[in-house]
Short mmCIF file of all heavy atoms in Angstrom, two decimals:
data_model
loop_
_atom_site.label_atom_id
_atom_site.label_comp_id
_atom_site.label_asym_id
_atom_site.label_seq_id
_atom_site.Cartn_x
_atom_site.Cartn_y
_atom_site.Cartn_z
N MET A 1 0.85 -1.20 0.01
CA MET A 1 0.01 -0.02 -0.01
C MET A 1 0.91 1.24 0.00
O MET A 1 1.88 1.32 0.73
CB MET A 1 -0.89 -0.04 1.23
CG MET A 1 -1.78 1.20 1.37
SD MET A 1 -2.86 1.15 2.82
CE MET A 1 -1.82 1.92 4.00
N ILE A 2 0.51 2.20 -0.78
CA ILE A 2 1.23 3.51 -0.83
C ILE A 2 0.83 4.30 0.39
O ILE A 2 -0.35 4.51 0.67
CB ILE A 2 0.88 4.26 -2.10
CG1 ILE A 2 1.30 3.52 -3.35
CG2 ILE A 2 1.48 5.66 -2.06
CD1 ILE A 2 2.80 3.58 -3.66
N VAL A 3 1.81 4.75 1.13
CA VAL A 3 1.57 5.64 2.30
C VAL A 3 1.70 7.10 1.83
O VAL A 3 0.84 7.93 2.13
CB VAL A 3 2.58 5.37 3.43
CG1 VAL A 3 2.43 6.39 4.53
CG2 VAL A 3 2.34 3.97 3.97
N CYS A 4 2.75 7.39 1.10
CA CYS A 4 2.98 8.74 0.69
C CYS A 4 2.84 8.86 -0.87
O CYS A 4 3.67 8.33 -1.60
CB CYS A 4 4.39 9.17 1.09
SG CYS A 4 4.84 10.85 0.53
N VAL A 5 1.75 9.47 -1.27
CA VAL A 5 1.45 9.60 -2.70
C VAL A 5 2.51 10.50 -3.36
O VAL A 5 2.92 10.26 -4.48
CB VAL A 5 0.01 10.10 -2.88
CG1 VAL A 5 -0.26 10.40 -4.34
CG2 VAL A 5 -0.98 9.11 -2.28
N CYS A 6 2.82 11.56 -2.69
CA CYS A 6 3.75 12.55 -3.32
C CYS A 6 5.06 11.90 -3.74
O CYS A 6 5.61 12.26 -4.83
CB CYS A 6 4.06 13.65 -2.32
SG CYS A 6 2.67 14.74 -1.96
N HIS A 7 5.54 10.95 -2.96
CA HIS A 7 6.86 10.35 -3.27
C HIS A 7 6.72 8.86 -3.61
O HIS A 7 7.77 8.20 -3.81
CB HIS A 7 7.81 10.53 -2.10
CG HIS A 7 8.17 11.96 -1.84
ND1 HIS A 7 9.05 12.66 -2.64
CD2 HIS A 7 7.71 12.85 -0.94
CE1 HIS A 7 9.14 13.90 -2.22
NE2 HIS A 7 8.33 14.04 -1.18
N GLY A 8 5.50 8.35 -3.67
CA GLY A 8 5.27 6.96 -4.05
C GLY A 8 5.94 6.01 -3.07
O GLY A 8 6.43 4.96 -3.49
N VAL A 9 5.90 6.35 -1.80
CA VAL A 9 6.56 5.51 -0.79
C VAL A 9 5.52 4.50 -0.19
O VAL A 9 4.49 4.89 0.27
CB VAL A 9 7.13 6.36 0.36
CG1 VAL A 9 7.85 5.47 1.41
CG2 VAL A 9 8.13 7.36 -0.20
N ARG A 10 5.91 3.26 -0.24
CA ARG A 10 5.02 2.17 0.25
C ARG A 10 5.26 1.98 1.76
O ARG A 10 6.24 2.33 2.30
CB ARG A 10 5.31 0.89 -0.50
CG ARG A 10 5.02 0.98 -1.97
CD ARG A 10 5.25 -0.37 -2.66
NE ARG A 10 4.82 -0.32 -4.05
CZ ARG A 10 3.59 -0.57 -4.46
NH1 ARG A 10 2.65 -0.86 -3.59
NH2 ARG A 10 3.26 -0.45 -5.72
N CYS A 11 4.22 1.28 2.31
CA CYS A 11 4.32 0.99 3.77
C CYS A 11 5.53 0.21 4.13
O CYS A 11 6.08 0.33 5.23
CB CYS A 11 3.00 0.36 4.26
SG CYS A 11 2.58 -1.17 3.46
N THR A 12 5.98 -0.65 3.25
CA THR A 12 7.14 -1.51 3.53
C THR A 12 8.38 -0.62 3.71
O THR A 12 9.17 -0.90 4.59
CB THR A 12 7.40 -2.55 2.44
OG1 THR A 12 7.40 -1.88 1.16
CG2 THR A 12 6.27 -3.61 2.42
N ALA A 13 8.50 0.42 2.91
CA ALA A 13 9.63 1.34 3.05
C ALA A 13 9.54 2.16 4.35
O ALA A 13 10.55 2.39 5.06
CB ALA A 13 9.70 2.26 1.85
N VAL A 14 8.30 2.54 4.73
CA VAL A 14 8.15 3.27 5.97
C VAL A 14 8.44 2.37 7.13
O VAL A 14 9.20 2.77 8.06
CB VAL A 14 6.71 3.87 6.08
CG1 VAL A 14 6.47 4.47 7.44
CG2 VAL A 14 6.49 4.89 4.97
N ARG A 15 7.96 1.14 7.13
CA ARG A 15 8.25 0.19 8.21
C ARG A 15 9.78 -0.08 8.29
O ARG A 15 10.28 -0.22 9.42
CB ARG A 15 7.47 -1.09 8.01
CG ARG A 15 6.01 -0.96 8.31
CD ARG A 15 5.33 -2.30 8.46
NE ARG A 15 3.87 -2.12 8.57
CZ ARG A 15 3.01 -2.33 7.61
NH1 ARG A 15 3.47 -2.79 6.46
NH2 ARG A 15 1.74 -2.11 7.75
N ALA A 16 10.41 -0.17 7.15
CA ALA A 16 11.86 -0.40 7.16
C ALA A 16 12.57 0.75 7.82
O ALA A 16 13.54 0.59 8.58
CB ALA A 16 12.37 -0.63 5.75
N ALA A 17 12.13 1.98 7.49
CA ALA A 17 12.74 3.16 8.08
C ALA A 17 12.54 3.18 9.61
O ALA A 17 13.47 3.42 10.36
CB ALA A 17 12.13 4.43 7.48
N ILE A 18 11.33 2.82 10.02
CA ILE A 18 11.04 2.79 11.47
C ILE A 18 11.88 1.72 12.13
O ILE A 18 12.46 1.94 13.17
CB ILE A 18 9.51 2.54 11.70
CG1 ILE A 18 8.70 3.73 11.14
CG2 ILE A 18 9.26 2.31 13.21
CD1 ILE A 18 7.22 3.45 11.08
N GLY A 19 11.94 0.57 11.49
CA GLY A 19 12.75 -0.53 12.03
C GLY A 19 14.22 -0.20 12.09
O GLY A 19 14.98 -0.71 12.92
N GLY A 20 14.64 0.71 11.25
CA GLY A 20 16.03 1.15 11.21
C GLY A 20 16.35 2.27 12.24
O GLY A 20 17.44 2.79 12.21
N GLY A 21 15.32 2.64 12.97
CA GLY A 21 15.55 3.63 14.05
C GLY A 21 14.90 4.98 13.82
O GLY A 21 15.12 5.88 14.61
N ALA A 22 14.16 5.15 12.75
CA ALA A 22 13.48 6.38 12.47
C ALA A 22 12.21 6.41 13.35
O ALA A 22 11.24 5.80 12.95
CB ALA A 22 13.16 6.57 11.02
N HIS A 23 12.20 7.10 14.45
CA HIS A 23 11.07 7.06 15.38
C HIS A 23 10.32 8.37 15.46
O HIS A 23 9.57 8.58 16.38
CB HIS A 23 11.53 6.61 16.77
CG HIS A 23 12.01 5.18 16.79
ND1 HIS A 23 12.70 4.65 17.83
CD2 HIS A 23 11.87 4.19 15.86
CE1 HIS A 23 12.97 3.31 17.57
NE2 HIS A 23 12.50 3.04 16.36
N THR A 24 10.59 9.29 14.52
CA THR A 24 9.80 10.48 14.37
C THR A 24 9.43 10.60 12.91
O THR A 24 10.09 10.02 12.01
CB THR A 24 10.58 11.74 14.77
OG1 THR A 24 11.70 11.97 13.84
CG2 THR A 24 11.14 11.67 16.19
N VAL A 25 8.38 11.38 12.62
CA VAL A 25 7.95 11.55 11.24
C VAL A 25 9.05 12.20 10.44
O VAL A 25 9.29 11.82 9.27
CB VAL A 25 6.62 12.39 11.19
CG1 VAL A 25 6.27 12.66 9.74
CG2 VAL A 25 5.53 11.68 11.96
N ASP A 26 9.75 13.15 10.99
CA ASP A 26 10.84 13.77 10.23
C ASP A 26 11.98 12.78 9.96
O ASP A 26 12.56 12.83 8.89
CB ASP A 26 11.37 14.99 11.02
CG ASP A 26 10.40 16.17 11.01
OD1 ASP A 26 9.54 16.25 10.09
OD2 ASP A 26 10.50 17.02 11.90
N ALA A 27 12.25 11.93 10.92
CA ALA A 27 13.32 10.91 10.69
C ALA A 27 12.93 9.94 9.58
O ALA A 27 13.76 9.57 8.78
CB ALA A 27 13.60 10.17 12.01
N VAL A 28 11.63 9.53 9.60
CA VAL A 28 11.12 8.70 8.52
C VAL A 28 11.34 9.41 7.19
O VAL A 28 11.76 8.85 6.18
CB VAL A 28 9.69 8.25 8.75
CG1 VAL A 28 9.09 7.61 7.48
CG2 VAL A 28 9.58 7.33 9.94
N GLY A 29 10.97 10.68 7.14
CA GLY A 29 11.11 11.48 5.92
C GLY A 29 12.54 11.57 5.46
O GLY A 29 12.83 11.46 4.27
N SER A 30 13.45 11.71 6.39
CA SER A 30 14.91 11.76 6.03
C SER A 30 15.35 10.44 5.45
O SER A 30 16.20 10.41 4.57
CB SER A 30 15.75 12.11 7.26
OG SER A 30 15.42 13.42 7.70
N SER A 31 14.76 9.34 5.97
CA SER A 31 15.15 8.04 5.56
C SER A 31 14.63 7.63 4.16
O SER A 31 15.35 7.10 3.34
CB SER A 31 14.73 6.99 6.59
OG SER A 31 15.03 5.70 6.20
N CYS A 32 13.30 7.92 3.95
CA CYS A 32 12.73 7.37 2.74
C CYS A 32 11.97 8.46 1.94
O CYS A 32 11.43 8.17 0.82
CB CYS A 32 11.77 6.19 3.04
SG CYS A 32 10.33 6.65 4.02
N GLY A 33 11.88 9.65 2.46
CA GLY A 33 11.19 10.72 1.74
C GLY A 33 9.70 10.90 2.06
O GLY A 33 9.13 11.95 1.73
N ALA A 34 9.13 9.89 2.66
CA ALA A 34 7.67 10.01 2.98
C ALA A 34 7.42 11.19 3.94
O ALA A 34 8.16 11.41 4.86
CB ALA A 34 7.20 8.74 3.65
N GLY A 35 6.35 11.93 3.59
CA GLY A 35 5.94 13.03 4.46
C GLY A 35 6.69 14.30 4.28
O GLY A 35 6.51 15.28 5.06
N THR A 36 7.52 14.41 3.23
CA THR A 36 8.32 15.58 3.08
C THR A 36 7.83 16.59 2.03
O THR A 36 8.54 17.51 1.66
CB THR A 36 9.78 15.24 2.76
OG1 THR A 36 9.80 14.48 1.50
CG2 THR A 36 10.39 14.40 3.90
N ASP A 37 6.57 16.33 1.52
CA ASP A 37 6.04 17.26 0.58
C ASP A 37 4.79 17.91 1.09
O ASP A 37 4.82 18.80 1.87
CB ASP A 37 5.78 16.54 -0.76
CG ASP A 37 5.73 17.49 -1.95
OD1 ASP A 37 5.27 18.62 -1.77
OD2 ASP A 37 6.13 17.07 -3.06
N CYS A 38 3.59 17.44 0.68
CA CYS A 38 2.32 18.08 1.08
C CYS A 38 2.00 17.82 2.56
O CYS A 38 1.30 18.62 3.17
CB CYS A 38 1.20 17.60 0.21
SG CYS A 38 0.60 15.96 0.61
N GLY A 39 2.51 16.73 3.10
CA GLY A 39 2.27 16.44 4.52
C GLY A 39 1.01 15.68 4.81
O GLY A 39 0.76 15.33 5.97
N ALA A 40 0.24 15.32 3.84
CA ALA A 40 -1.04 14.65 4.03
C ALA A 40 -0.83 13.27 4.68
O ALA A 40 -1.75 12.80 5.39
CB ALA A 40 -1.79 14.47 2.71
N CYS A 41 0.31 12.66 4.49
CA CYS A 41 0.53 11.33 4.98
C CYS A 41 1.19 11.31 6.38
O CYS A 41 1.39 10.26 6.95
CB CYS A 41 1.42 10.54 3.99
SG CYS A 41 3.06 11.32 3.80
N ARG A 42 1.51 12.45 6.88
CA ARG A 42 2.29 12.49 8.16
C ARG A 42 1.54 11.89 9.32
O ARG A 42 2.12 11.24 10.16
CB ARG A 42 2.71 13.94 8.45
CG ARG A 42 3.71 14.49 7.46
CD ARG A 42 4.11 15.90 7.76
NE ARG A 42 4.86 16.10 8.94
CZ ARG A 42 6.18 16.01 9.09
NH1 ARG A 42 6.90 15.76 8.03
NH2 ARG A 42 6.73 16.21 10.24
N GLY A 43 0.21 12.00 9.32
CA GLY A 43 -0.56 11.40 10.45
C GLY A 43 -0.48 9.88 10.35
O GLY A 43 -0.37 9.21 11.37
N MET A 44 -0.56 9.33 9.13
CA MET A 44 -0.45 7.89 8.91
C MET A 44 0.93 7.40 9.35
O MET A 44 1.03 6.37 9.99
CB MET A 44 -0.75 7.49 7.50
CG MET A 44 -0.81 5.99 7.27
SD MET A 44 -1.07 5.49 5.57
CE MET A 44 -2.67 6.21 5.28
N ILE A 45 1.94 8.15 9.00
CA ILE A 45 3.33 7.76 9.39
C ILE A 45 3.44 7.74 10.92
O ILE A 45 4.04 6.87 11.49
CB ILE A 45 4.34 8.72 8.76
CG1 ILE A 45 4.33 8.57 7.23
CG2 ILE A 45 5.75 8.47 9.30
CD1 ILE A 45 5.08 9.66 6.50
N GLU A 46 2.88 8.79 11.55
CA GLU A 46 2.94 8.84 12.99
C GLU A 46 2.22 7.66 13.63
O GLU A 46 2.72 7.10 14.59
CB GLU A 46 2.27 10.15 13.49
CG GLU A 46 2.58 10.51 14.91
CD GLU A 46 2.16 11.93 15.25
OE1 GLU A 46 2.00 12.75 14.35
OE2 GLU A 46 2.04 12.20 16.44
N ASP A 47 1.03 7.30 13.07
CA ASP A 47 0.34 6.11 13.55
C ASP A 47 1.21 4.84 13.42
O ASP A 47 1.25 4.00 14.30
CB ASP A 47 -0.99 5.88 12.82
CG ASP A 47 -2.01 6.98 13.19
OD1 ASP A 47 -1.82 7.67 14.19
OD2 ASP A 47 -2.99 7.07 12.45
N MET A 48 1.92 4.74 12.29
CA MET A 48 2.76 3.55 12.07
C MET A 48 3.90 3.54 13.07
O MET A 48 4.31 2.43 13.57
CB MET A 48 3.31 3.56 10.64
CG MET A 48 2.17 3.33 9.60
SD MET A 48 2.80 3.45 7.89
CE MET A 48 3.70 1.93 7.74
N ILE A 49 4.47 4.67 13.36
CA ILE A 49 5.54 4.77 14.39
C ILE A 49 4.99 4.30 15.74
O ILE A 49 5.62 3.52 16.42
CB ILE A 49 6.15 6.17 14.44
CG1 ILE A 49 6.85 6.49 13.16
CG2 ILE A 49 7.08 6.30 15.67
CD1 ILE A 49 7.23 7.97 13.04
N ASP A 50 3.83 4.84 16.08
CA ASP A 50 3.26 4.49 17.42
C ASP A 50 3.01 3.00 17.50
O ASP A 50 3.31 2.38 18.54
CB ASP A 50 1.94 5.28 17.62
CG ASP A 50 2.14 6.75 17.86
OD1 ASP A 50 3.30 7.17 18.13
OD2 ASP A 50 1.14 7.52 17.71
N GLU A 51 2.43 2.42 16.45
CA GLU A 51 2.15 0.99 16.45
C GLU A 51 3.44 0.18 16.56
O GLU A 51 3.51 -0.80 17.35
CB GLU A 51 1.43 0.59 15.17
CG GLU A 51 0.01 1.01 15.09
CD GLU A 51 -0.63 0.78 13.76
OE1 GLU A 51 -0.10 -0.02 12.96
OE2 GLU A 51 -1.71 1.39 13.47
N ALA A 52 4.47 0.57 15.87
CA ALA A 52 5.72 -0.16 15.92
C ALA A 52 6.37 -0.07 17.33
O ALA A 52 6.87 -1.02 17.84
CB ALA A 52 6.69 0.38 14.84
N LEU A 53 6.28 1.12 17.90
CA LEU A 53 6.89 1.28 19.22
C LEU A 53 6.08 0.53 20.27
O LEU A 53 6.63 0.00 21.23
CB LEU A 53 7.02 2.74 19.61
CG LEU A 53 7.96 3.55 18.70
CD1 LEU A 53 7.98 5.00 19.12
CD2 LEU A 53 9.37 3.00 18.76
N GLU A 54 4.74 0.46 20.09
CA GLU A 54 3.93 -0.34 21.02
C GLU A 54 4.28 -1.80 20.91
O GLU A 54 4.39 -2.52 21.93
CB GLU A 54 2.44 -0.08 20.73
CG GLU A 54 1.89 1.16 21.28
CD GLU A 54 0.41 1.36 20.91
OE1 GLU A 54 -0.24 0.35 20.67
OE2 GLU A 54 -0.03 2.50 20.92
N GLU A 55 4.49 -2.25 19.70
CA GLU A 55 4.87 -3.68 19.51
C GLU A 55 6.24 -3.96 20.13
O GLU A 55 6.42 -4.96 20.75
CB GLU A 55 4.92 -4.01 18.00
CG GLU A 55 3.54 -4.15 17.38
CD GLU A 55 3.62 -4.46 15.88
OE1 GLU A 55 4.73 -4.89 15.44
OE2 GLU A 55 2.64 -4.24 15.20
N GLN A 56 7.13 -3.01 19.98
CA GLN A 56 8.48 -3.20 20.59
C GLN A 56 8.38 -3.27 22.10
O GLN A 56 9.02 -4.10 22.73
CB GLN A 56 9.41 -2.08 20.19
CG GLN A 56 9.95 -2.21 18.77
CD GLN A 56 10.89 -1.06 18.43
OE1 GLN A 56 11.21 -0.24 19.30
NE2 GLN A 56 11.28 -0.96 17.20
N SER A 57 7.53 -2.42 22.68
CA SER A 57 7.47 -2.40 24.15
C SER A 57 6.68 -3.58 24.67
O SER A 57 6.79 -3.93 25.84
CB SER A 57 6.83 -1.12 24.61
OG SER A 57 5.49 -1.01 24.23
N ALA A 58 5.90 -4.20 23.76
CA ALA A 58 5.10 -5.41 24.21
C ALA A 58 5.92 -6.67 24.17
O ALA A 58 5.47 -7.69 24.57
CB ALA A 58 3.87 -5.50 23.32
N THR A 59 7.14 -6.61 23.57
CA THR A 59 7.94 -7.76 23.57
C THR A 59 9.31 -7.44 24.16
O THR A 59 9.76 -6.33 24.18
CB THR A 59 8.18 -8.25 22.11
OG1 THR A 59 8.88 -7.23 21.40
CG2 THR A 59 6.90 -8.63 21.42
N ARG A 60 9.91 -8.45 24.74
CA ARG A 60 11.26 -8.26 25.19
C ARG A 60 12.04 -9.57 24.97
O ARG A 60 11.41 -10.65 24.87
CB ARG A 60 11.37 -7.86 26.67
CG ARG A 60 10.88 -8.93 27.60
CD ARG A 60 11.12 -8.53 29.05
NE ARG A 60 10.65 -9.56 29.96
CZ ARG A 60 11.31 -10.67 30.27
NH1 ARG A 60 12.54 -10.80 29.75
NH2 ARG A 60 10.86 -11.57 31.09
N VAL A 61 13.30 -9.48 24.83
CA VAL A 61 14.13 -10.66 24.59
C VAL A 61 15.00 -10.80 25.82
O VAL A 61 15.68 -9.89 26.25
CB VAL A 61 15.01 -10.47 23.35
CG1 VAL A 61 15.89 -11.68 23.11
CG2 VAL A 61 14.10 -10.21 22.09
N ASP A 62 14.96 -12.03 26.39
CA ASP A 62 15.78 -12.25 27.61
C ASP A 62 17.20 -12.58 27.24
O ASP A 62 17.59 -12.60 26.08
CB ASP A 62 15.11 -13.35 28.50
CG ASP A 62 15.14 -14.75 27.85
OD1 ASP A 62 15.92 -14.95 26.92
OD2 ASP A 62 14.38 -15.58 28.32
N ALA A 63 18.01 -12.82 28.26
CA ALA A 63 19.45 -13.06 28.09
C ALA A 63 19.73 -14.26 27.21
O ALA A 63 20.78 -14.39 26.62
CB ALA A 63 20.12 -13.20 29.41
N ARG A 64 18.82 -15.21 27.14
CA ARG A 64 18.96 -16.40 26.35
C ARG A 64 18.49 -16.24 24.92
O ARG A 64 18.44 -17.16 24.14
CB ARG A 64 18.32 -17.57 26.98
CG ARG A 64 18.95 -18.00 28.30
CD ARG A 64 18.24 -19.22 28.86
NE ARG A 64 18.90 -19.67 30.05
CZ ARG A 64 18.45 -20.63 30.86
NH1 ARG A 64 17.29 -21.15 30.56
NH2 ARG A 64 19.08 -20.99 31.91
N GLY A 65 17.96 -15.04 24.58
CA GLY A 65 17.46 -14.74 23.24
C GLY A 65 16.05 -15.15 23.07
O GLY A 65 15.52 -15.17 21.91
N ARG A 66 15.37 -15.52 24.15
CA ARG A 66 13.94 -15.90 24.02
C ARG A 66 13.08 -14.64 24.04
O ARG A 66 13.34 -13.74 24.84
CB ARG A 66 13.54 -16.84 25.20
CG ARG A 66 14.26 -18.14 25.14
CD ARG A 66 13.89 -19.00 26.32
NE ARG A 66 14.34 -18.28 27.53
CZ ARG A 66 14.39 -18.81 28.74
NH1 ARG A 66 14.04 -20.12 28.89
NH2 ARG A 66 14.72 -18.13 29.80
N THR A 67 12.08 -14.63 23.19
CA THR A 67 11.17 -13.47 23.08
C THR A 67 10.01 -13.71 24.00
O THR A 67 9.37 -14.80 23.99
CB THR A 67 10.72 -13.28 21.63
OG1 THR A 67 11.83 -13.02 20.82
CG2 THR A 67 9.76 -12.07 21.55
N HIS A 68 9.64 -12.72 24.80
CA HIS A 68 8.51 -12.76 25.70
C HIS A 68 7.53 -11.68 25.27
O HIS A 68 7.91 -10.56 25.04
CB HIS A 68 8.94 -12.52 27.17
CG HIS A 68 9.92 -13.56 27.62
ND1 HIS A 68 9.49 -14.68 28.26
CD2 HIS A 68 11.25 -13.58 27.51
CE1 HIS A 68 10.56 -15.44 28.55
NE2 HIS A 68 11.65 -14.78 28.15
N LEU A 69 6.28 -12.05 25.19
CA LEU A 69 5.23 -11.12 24.84
C LEU A 69 4.54 -10.66 26.17
O LEU A 69 4.27 -11.44 27.03
CB LEU A 69 4.17 -11.76 23.97
CG LEU A 69 4.63 -12.26 22.63
CD1 LEU A 69 3.49 -12.99 21.90
CD2 LEU A 69 5.09 -11.11 21.80
N ALA A 70 4.29 -9.35 26.24
CA ALA A 70 3.58 -8.79 27.36
C ALA A 70 2.10 -8.70 26.93
O ALA A 70 1.81 -7.89 26.02
CB ALA A 70 4.10 -7.44 27.73
N LEU A 71 1.32 -9.54 27.46
CA LEU A 71 -0.09 -9.56 27.04
C LEU A 71 -0.95 -8.79 28.07
O LEU A 71 -0.74 -8.90 29.23
CB LEU A 71 -0.59 -10.99 26.96
CG LEU A 71 0.16 -11.90 26.01
CD1 LEU A 71 -0.36 -13.33 26.08
CD2 LEU A 71 0.03 -11.38 24.55
N SER A 72 -1.87 -8.05 27.55
CA SER A 72 -2.79 -7.38 28.43
C SER A 72 -4.16 -7.97 28.19
O SER A 72 -4.56 -8.26 27.07
CB SER A 72 -2.82 -5.88 28.15
OG SER A 72 -3.26 -5.63 26.89
N VAL A 73 -4.88 -8.17 29.29
CA VAL A 73 -6.20 -8.76 29.22
C VAL A 73 -7.15 -7.77 29.78
O VAL A 73 -7.02 -7.23 30.89
CB VAL A 73 -6.28 -10.09 30.04
CG1 VAL A 73 -7.69 -10.64 30.02
CG2 VAL A 73 -5.26 -11.09 29.55
N SER A 74 -8.19 -7.47 29.04
CA SER A 74 -9.19 -6.53 29.51
C SER A 74 -10.46 -7.31 29.77
O SER A 74 -10.80 -8.28 29.11
CB SER A 74 -9.47 -5.43 28.46
OG SER A 74 -9.96 -5.99 27.29
N SER A 75 -11.18 -6.88 30.80
CA SER A 75 -12.45 -7.52 31.08
C SER A 75 -13.54 -6.61 30.62
O SER A 75 -13.53 -5.39 30.85
CB SER A 75 -12.61 -7.82 32.59
OG SER A 75 -12.45 -6.62 33.29
N ALA A 76 -14.49 -7.17 29.91
CA ALA A 76 -15.58 -6.37 29.36
C ALA A 76 -16.83 -6.58 30.15
O ALA A 76 -17.04 -7.49 30.83
CB ALA A 76 -15.81 -6.71 27.89
S1 FES B 101 1.35 12.33 0.51
FE1 FES B 101 3.20 12.20 1.63
S2 FES B 101 4.05 14.22 1.53
FE2 FES B 101 2.26 14.30 0.27
#
């Protein structure tokens, strides 16, 4: 899916930028160009950053390299 129409940047490129350490919209823009023209996609990029950081904080890797998921349970 195209995230940034102005630069034709796909979500995979934005995710790669975020995974490479771009944790602000401007940093993503510096990495792949998304969000650096009209700005219409900046909200979507910000959401993608938030989701990625939430996923990172929901997992941790222990000293043996095992991944642990932090699960939250809500009661309705
Ligand atoms: S759609 Fe991304 S800068 Fe215009």
Side-chain angles (χ1 to χ4, degrees):
M1 178 179 89
I2 297 283
V3 173
C4 179
V5 175
C6 291
H7 295 284
V9 180
R10 295 182 175 276
C11 59
T12 51
V14 173
R15 286 196 188 102
I18 295 168
H23 293 167
T24 65
V25 175
D26 288 337
V28 169
S30 295
S31 177
C32 65
T36 60
D37 201 328
C38 77
C41 61
R42 291 178 67 88
M44 185 181 299
I45 295 167
E46 194 167 341
D47 289 345
M48 293 175 74
I49 293 167
D50 289 345
E51 287 172 16
L53 295 179
E54 282 178 23
E55 285 177 19
Q56 282 180 7
S57 67
T59 61
R60 68 175 180 80
V61 178
D62 69 16
R64 292 182 176 171
R66 295 176 299 193
T67 301
H68 299 269
L69 297 175
L71 301 176
S72 62
V73 178
S74 63
S75 58

